[in-house]
Amino acid sequence: VQGIEVQEEKTSQVRYLGKLLVRFAPDKVRQFLRGASLRYAETASKPMVVIPVYRTDAGLSLWEETNPWFAAWARHNPPDGLVPLSVPLGDLSDIAGITPQEAVQGNLDKLTAMARRYGAEKALVAVASPAPQGAAAPLDLDVAVTRFGGPGGEQTRILRVAGQTGEAPDSLFARAVEEVGAQIEDDWKRENLLRFDQEETLTATVPIADLRDWVEIRRRLDGVVFVRQTDVLSLSRQTAVVLVHYIGDAEQLR
């Protein structure tokens, strides 16, 4: 433990209630996990924007005020994690930018433009639809989250969020948002687990403009958790040739 901060506390004559923020020493945690042969992930994803489409028998909805799936995402306050998620504002530019049909069909040009508008790397399309149930049964939601493009091509994750007896629809949609966010986070961690038993090397030619540029590149390489060591093979005024020792595979490094 590196430090403990008391964020809020309440006391009475019989008990104490407190919310504590515990900060752990990163190097010691890494050492402990490696000593226990436990794989872990700590590489942060670039930001992603979620496009929440709602599908019913009446069709697809996205930007409409009657879309409860969009409203649930708009109210969601995502926790700190490795995958920063955001939701479009739903303003006129968004409405003109992409239709729900184009989002579901995976129009890469428009999805990429939407992601860039919000400073994100890519857009995820999350399609929620009520699951068929009996008249007296609570509402369930089927959610399909699709990531278009990328080296692995189109990838879809499907999950069902079961409603609880007497649960309000807003509560169900809020839980569904949390479960989808947790699934996205878990998928990212699984793809980026550090594999200490797999070590590779890569020779790269790095264009550089000046000494300051080269120093910044070295600093950024040192910040990549997959990189174990970087050896300089040659250095000129315009380029550097480096040998990168890294763990995992080339796609994780990329």
Side-chain angles (χ1 to χ4, degrees), residues 7-251:
Q7 293 188 322
E8 57 182 74
E9 56 184 352
K10 299 176 182 178
T11 58
S12 70
Q13 293 182 348
V14 293
R15 65 176 180 171
Y16 171 91
L17 294 175
K19 180 183 288 186
L20 308 179
L21 175 65
V22 182
R23 291 185 174 89
F24 294 92
D27 291 339
K28 292 183 178 180
V29 172
R30 295 186 189 104
Q31 182 179 357
F32 170 77
L33 294 174
R34 290 193 64 176
S37 298
L38 293 173
R39 296 194 297 171
Y40 63 93
E42 61 172 307
T43 302
S45 163
K46 293 182 179 180
M48 298 185 187
V49 63
V50 178
I51 311 296
V53 178
Y54 191 51
R55 187 198 301 271
T56 63
D57 293 339
L60 300 174
S61 61
L62 174 56
W63 309 117
E64 293 83 356
E65 292 183 359
T66 55
N67 180 353
W69 184 228
F70 187 100
W73 277 98
R75 292 191 298 266
H76 181 58
N77 185 22
D80 291 336
L82 295 181
V83 185
L85 296 176
S86 62
V87 185
L89 295 173
D91 57 16
L92 291 177
S93 296
D94 290 340
I95 295 172
I98 193 168
T99 66
Q101 291 78 14
E102 290 169 334
V104 171
Q105 293 166 3
N107 187 313
L108 274 180
D109 290 339
K110 294 195 173 184
L111 287 172
T112 301
M114 182 67 65
R116 288 176 177 169
R117 181 164 188 249
Y118 289 94
E121 170 75 3
K122 61 183 63 176
L124 301 175
V125 180
V127 182
S129 53
Q133 296 288 332
L139 175 66
D140 290 351
L141 281 180
D142 285 334
V143 183
V145 182
T146 303
R147 181 175 62 188
F148 295 97
E154 179 180 327
Q155 300 179 31
T156 300
R157 166 76 72 170
I158 299 176
L159 65 154
R160 171 168 289 194
V161 182
Q164 300 171 356
T165 303
E167 182 178 28
D170 284 353
S171 173
L172 173 62
F173 282 103
R175 283 200 301 110
V177 169
E178 292 180 358
E179 291 193 26
V180 169
Q183 186 64 65
I184 293 171
E185 180 90 7
D186 286 346
D187 288 344
W188 171 262
K189 290 177 181 178
R190 193 174 299 108
E191 294 171 2
N192 291 275
L193 286 172
L194 294 171
R195 302 173 183 173
F196 298 104
D197 57 340
Q198 180 180 350
E199 186 164 337
E200 305 286 346
T201 59
L202 173 74
T203 303
T205 301
V206 186
I208 54 177
D210 50 34
L211 179 60
R212 187 185 326 178
D213 193 22
W214 171 236
V215 171
E216 173 63 13
I217 289 170
R218 288 298 300 266
R219 185 191 68 80
R220 292 178 65 178
L221 279 172
D222 290 342
V224 179
V225 295
F226 290 94
V227 174
R228 312 304 294 165
Q229 179 180 333
T230 304
D231 300 328
V232 180
L233 302 181
S234 67
L235 184 64
S236 69
R237 295 189 178 206
Q238 291 81 32
T239 59
V241 179
V242 297
L243 181 65
V244 180
H245 302 261
Y246 65 95
I247 58 176
D249 56 38
E251 178 56 33

